[in-house]
Amino acid sequence: MMDESIIKTSRMGALLIALFLLVGLVMPKWLLFLSTMALSHGIVSLGIVILMRGGVVSFGQGFVFAAGGYATALASNHLGVTDALLMVLIGGFAATLCALPFAPLLSRYRGIFFAMLTLAISMVLYGILVKTQTLGGSDGFNVSRPTLFGQEIATEESNWLLYNLAVVVVGVLATLARIYADSVRGLVSMAIRENELRVEYLGASVSNTIGTNFIIAAFMGGVGGALTLMSLGHIDPNFSYWTTSGEFVFVAILAGHHSMLAVFVGSFVVEIVRSFSNLYFPNTWQLAMGLFLLVVIRFLPRGLGSLWIDRNRNKGGEQ
Amino acid sequence: MTNFQVSTVLSARGVHKSFGAVTAAEDINIDILAGQRVSLIGSNGAGKTTFVNMVTGYLKPDAGTIELNGKTIVGLGPRQISALGIARSFQIPQLALEMTALDNMLVAAACNDGPLSVWRPAHSPARIERAEALLEKFDLIAHINRRVAELPGGVRKLLDIAMALTGEPKLLLLDEPTSGVSVDEKFPMMDTISTALSSEVVTVLFVEHDMDIVTNYSDRVIAFYSGRVIADDKPDTVLDNDEVQLYVTGSAKQGHSTC
Amino acid sequence: MLALTILIDGIIYASWLFIVALGLTLVFGVLKILNIAHGSFYAVGAYTAASFVAWSVSLGFSPAWSLLAMVLAAVAVALLLAPVVEKGVLRFFYGRDEVVLVLVTYALFLILEDATKLVWGPIPYYVSEPYMLFGLVETKTMSYVGYDFTLIAFAIVCGLGVWWGLNKTRTGKIVLAVIHSNEIASSMGINVTRVCTWAFMFGVFLAALAGAMTSPMISVQPGLASGVVIVSFAVVIIGGLGSIQGAAIGAVIVGLARALAVHTWPAAELFSIYVAMAIVLMFRPEGLFQRVQARKI
């Protein structure tokens, strides 16, 4: 017996997916590519938003992004996997497997230490990838075009089909994320962000929730990695570099943690600004991003800028 | 022999706790019976907070046992003890400030409902109804959709207690329920709390400094000094006690404590 | 002989790491800000030094003067950039959560990445004049550039200088009080805002100086900052945020680990640093030397 609100959310999700699929029919090729990138990066940021709802920020989602991407790339080149949907699933599950051993450890950390530990882990992977010649070292390697349900995708159509796949996959995941956020666990997650002491005293396990959020974010990161790989046809260690992780965090901050759609709008805006700035005002898009980030952190109301309740407010709870 | 059995809800035997050279609890022996309203009094550092912290699992006694309805709770953490039926409110209300009063109540309900579900929406009609009923008892229904950050201190204290009651605990510990509240608000607030509690099946322990509140709202008083229990009886008897007057309330019987 | 090579390489790299990390750890100690833009100040210092040295050469000064030009470059960067950043940006975020401040400094990093490219362009700069000032140091098997060894001397001077300044001068004691607890310091009458402003400027100066001193050893080009950010973070986390001895020990550990890897297991060169960082975070998150800070009960 499904709850009414879950049915409502699912309907909304399906509607949005249909809408984006329709819009895709009229998009020019460059916009299709841009949108696919926005979706495949946005899904990683969505994972960060889920973590942020629980009060922690990961500065190392590049780890799962790269893990998913490389696993998919290797499956494609060495195991002969070509089906795009299968590759997305491989990416997601591979990243989850890689993240699993770190979840219990990470769930005990907060604040700067959580951020730094995730950063360190992603840089360890980066360091390994750069020096592993069989994986192409710092140049990485290419993959061939994926297929969809056995159909060879002609170069002309591949952008459009990949876009459709991204819309469906990301749309489903975003809908599930919304259901998660509205669920009992999602609400407690938010409370943990504000006062984990109280949550612990009320009887729920804070570290369990944070650990679970981390796993969910890992799956999303891996899916993002697989989709990005298929869009670019190429992978390299930069997927795991700290500046890549930083960009995912940027979009998450921009979007805030109340709306799932906002994450993808934010991701899309970043991709547009990046492309246009490269064309018309070179060397300004990071400047713009940085300024915008400062504005968001400073001025946008709770949920978008002021994401963290000063921990000082609740001090003094224990005598 | 009485016709009805009054069970012992909480039983402490030989409980001892020290922090280095400081003895915070020394040979504490207490039996709390079901339905009692017990106040714990004593000046700061006397040991009542330490006792509360040991009962709720924040601290572990160095020696002795504490049992809830016959089950040992020493060594268990706050989460497990909460699951067994001990709830507490906080002197400085511990709430999710950016969330509404309703959401705070729903969180409390969720935490008490066993494993957190991913599929059940937090705002289900059934759970909202129960939260509303509880908020009603505490006269908080008007604030149901307001952000806690906007609520005044007295309202937050009541909300804190309402949240603790959500899990239908067997034992409720109130940590200075009227502290930080203005003098004219204290009694109305205690009235509200008392009325709300009387409609729930729960045993209450509360830490208090105001002797008027103690006299009017508890049927039993346990006085602490220097980690020991120096008196344990009806309010009038305890407050007449020489040691209690010396160490806790000040020389003459006053309405307010010396701290 | 291999051991000696590893030791020398390690100490040279450690010296560089220490100079770079010193400012970062100091700024955290005083302002409680983990400054991602620290790497950007390093890069700006390197670029400015490149420009200053080029001017000094074009004005006919001998290469020895280029050392002064480098120091002046660092001073210029600190005087110009620090107030703009601190009063123009950071000030609006004081009191916010530590992670929020990291994000603010990340925004600054992004801004400075492009700003540097806009001012100096994407081409690499070479600051060759000072590099051969100290000649070559020849051992039986290896030949080192003398300049690399001055880095060691310089690191020691910096470290001792800052240590002495903090512990033996009145101003230093005031700074230590703020590091310990800015609330207590403020209640003692110390102008915490002023200490923070000057400490930040000093931190920027140290970063820029590190960049300036290093510029003859590398090609100064875009991308300099991001590499420095991550490696200085590793050193500071390992040593302990806010601790100067920590920065020194962290620098030595990372320096020797890298030298060891380069000569015996090259594949581990990069990740060994971050494995060390992760291990420290897992087992002793406060680092090897916890900064002296008042415990808030």
Side-chain angles (χ1 to χ4, degrees), chain B residues 56-79:
Chain B
T56 52
Y58 187 70
L59 290 174
K60 188 164 177 247
D62 295 332
T65 58
I66 306 180
E67 288 181 357
L68 175 73
N69 285 328
K71 184 169 166 23
T72 309
I73 60 174
V74 167
L76 299 179
R79 262 191 298 126

Side-chain angles (χ1 to χ4, degrees), chain C residues 35-55:
Chain C
N35 182 14
I36 291 186
H38 187 79
S40 310
F41 299 133
Y42 169 96
V44 173
Y47 274 105
T48 312
S51 299
F52 275 37
V53 169
W55 288 334

Side-chain angles (χ1 to χ4, degrees), chain C residues 41-111:
Chain C
F41 299 133
Y42 169 96
V44 173
Y47 274 105
T48 312
S51 299
F52 275 37
V53 169
W55 288 334
S56 122
V57 167
S58 73
L59 286 173
F61 288 100
S62 69
W65 285 100
S66 55
L67 285 176
L68 182 64
M70 280 159 30
V71 175
L72 286 176
V75 173
V77 171
L79 284 177
L80 286 171
L81 222 48
V84 170
V85 168
E86 204 251 330
K87 292 269 172 275
V89 180
L90 291 177
R91 175 168 67 99
F92 295 101
F93 301 93
Y94 283 152
R96 303 273 302 260
D97 192 86
E98 282 181 331
V99 180
V100 173
L101 280 162
V102 173
L103 287 165
V104 168
T105 61
Y106 174 64
L108 287 167
F109 164 83
L110 291 172
I111 293 171

Side-chain angles (χ1 to χ4, degrees), chain A residues 109 113 242 246 284 286-287 308, chain C residues 100 106 114 226 269 281-282 285:
Chain A
Y109 289 78
F113 292 117
W242 76 271
T284 55
Q286 281 178 303
L287 186 74
W308 293 272
Chain C
V100 173
Y106 174 64
D114 273 357
S226 62
E269 181 199 337
L281 280 169
M282 287 188 227

Side-chain angles (χ1 to χ4, degrees), chain B residues 114-131:
Chain B
L116 299 173
S117 163
V118 183
W119 295 113
R120 276 184 298 151
H123 293 86
S124 70
R127 222 170 284 137
I128 293 180
E129 237 189 85
R130 159 89 180 140

